[in-house]
Amino acid sequence: MNLENISNNKSFGGWHKQYTHQSEVLNCAMRFAIFLPPKVNEGHKVPVLYWLSGLTCTDENFMQKAGAQRIAAELGIAIVAPDTSPRGEDVANDEGYDLGQGAGFYVNATQAPWAAHFKMYDYILDELPNLIEANFPVTSQRAISGHSMGGHGALMIGLKNQSRFSSISAFSPITNPTQCPWGEKAFTAYLGDNKQAWAEYDSVELLKAGKPSLPILVDQGSEDGFLAEQLKPENLIAAAKSVDAECELRMQAGYDHSYYFIASFIEDHLRFHHQHLNAK
């Protein structure tokens, strides 16, 4: 694949870089960011944490606001942050912020007009890791994390592909998208009316279907304005308990849905993933 490097910034002895490439899966140009820790300068390959962002975000939100580079540099972990959806003049869109460009929901759309481009599940699971592992000094060890819609993506993709990851974490995830307005709108548009197809992308339903082998860490702010209607972490924990899964929910008093919250606890998540990357 033809990678074009569009920016470079030195950070904590490592490098934050942005690239564009033509995605065969999404049938459009895509952008991603990667942080490479200083360990790669010494000739070492490093494991990768894939970070999935939320509604309206791009690769830039996490890399600029979360403050993850210092700990990633210390631990020797690369971070890859893709965009949240396909984009471009020929890509279908919607007037709402919660559908279309910026709101891919990490599913493979089956309905027109979305099916032509919106295959974010395949992009995150296969095309992007293959691209990263072919072009950067990284190992095949992977962890996955995300926020809000991206937290949904991290939980769902990790649960569906447990042999591909060492651990899963999420901030303020949409845990049960088949039972909340954001998910119902997106899944109806992308997947149609078949509720069985919806369940294949719902982390609560995936947990109920069988005990995961991966450890899961979830942080949720108690003052998150989306908590009751959209996020429903209690459903995730109930499903995890029903199959005796290793899933820790930490309710953080006073925190909201913002990157102030993420920045406050990102070190914990990186150390959590480092522990399990090393154990695998």
Side-chain angles (χ1 to χ4, degrees):
M1 296 182 186
N2 183 24
L3 281 178
E4 181 183 356
N5 180 215
I6 58 173
S7 74
N8 297 280
N9 299 96
K10 194 165 186 179
S11 180
F12 294 98
W15 287 93
H16 168 271
K17 299 172 180 280
Q18 282 180 307
Y19 290 86
T20 60
H21 72 101
Q22 187 66 28
S23 168
E24 295 180 5
V25 168
L26 303 178
N27 193 28
C28 67
M30 287 294 287
R31 189 177 74 191
F32 68 86
I34 183 168
F35 174 73
L36 294 168
K39 194 172 182 179
V40 304
N41 301 331
E42 303 164 5
H44 298 286
K45 290 188 174 183
V46 297
V48 181
L49 173 66
Y50 287 87
W51 172 269
L52 308 184
S53 292
L55 290 167
T56 75
C57 292
T58 69
D59 62 290
E60 293 184 329
N61 298 73
F62 177 81
M63 291 300 202
Q64 293 181 4
K65 296 179 179 180
Q69 291 88 344
R70 179 178 64 85
I71 302 302
E74 174 195 325
L75 299 176
I77 298 174
I79 302 174
V80 171
D83 202 346
T84 51
S85 77
R87 297 181 193 268
E89 292 183 3
D90 297 330
V91 176
N93 203 6
D94 186 83
E95 292 182 357
Y97 73 94
D98 53 356
L99 185 67
Q101 295 185 35
F105 269 83
Y106 305 101
V107 303
N108 285 340
T110 59
Q111 305 299 302
W114 312 103
H117 296 281
F118 282 72
K119 306 286 186 183
M120 287 297 293
Y121 177 85
D122 284 350
Y123 179 71
I124 299 299
L125 182 63
D126 291 315
E127 187 177 28
L128 183 60
N130 290 342
L131 180 68
I132 297 300
E133 289 166 21
N135 289 278
F136 298 96
V138 300
T139 71
S140 59
Q141 286 184 290
R142 310 176 195 96
I144 192 164
S145 186
H147 172 232
S148 194
M149 177 186 72
H152 142 71
L155 289 167
M156 176 268 294
I157 292 172
L159 288 169
K160 286 172 71 70
N161 302 278
Q162 296 181 49
S163 65
R164 302 287 296 275
F165 302 96
S166 63
S167 49
I168 305 168
S169 77
F171 290 84
S172 315
I174 303 170
T175 67
N176 202 180
T178 62
Q179 303 298 319
C180 76
W182 277 340
E184 290 171 356
K185 178 179 179 179
F187 284 11
T188 299
Y190 296 146
L191 304 172
D193 295 328
N194 183 353
K195 298 294 180 71
Q196 187 173 350
W198 293 19
E200 291 297 314
Y201 295 106
D202 186 305
S203 297
V204 168
E205 297 304 319
L206 292 169
L207 270 173
K208 289 177 181 177
K211 180 180 178 180
S213 60
L214 299 182
I216 302 169
L217 173 64
V218 176
D219 270 315
Q220 174 63 60
S222 67
E223 301 307 307
D224 189 323
F226 302 113
L227 178 57
E229 183 179 32
Q230 304 283 10
L231 307 181
K232 303 182 184 295
E234 67 280 1
N235 293 4
L236 184 76
I237 295 306
K241 287 182 177 178
S242 73
V243 294
D244 195 27
E246 185 182 346
C247 181
E248 180 182 6
L249 170 65
R250 306 193 311 184
M251 292 298 298
Q252 303 292 0
Y255 286 90
D256 58 17
H257 199 73
S258 72
Y259 266 85
Y260 295 108
F261 168 48
I262 296 170
S264 298
F265 298 101
I266 191 62
E267 179 173 349
D268 292 353
H269 284 240
L270 287 168
R271 295 194 184 280
F272 165 79
H273 289 298
H274 180 253
Q275 173 189 349
H276 294 289
L277 285 164
N278 283 348
K280 191 163 184 178

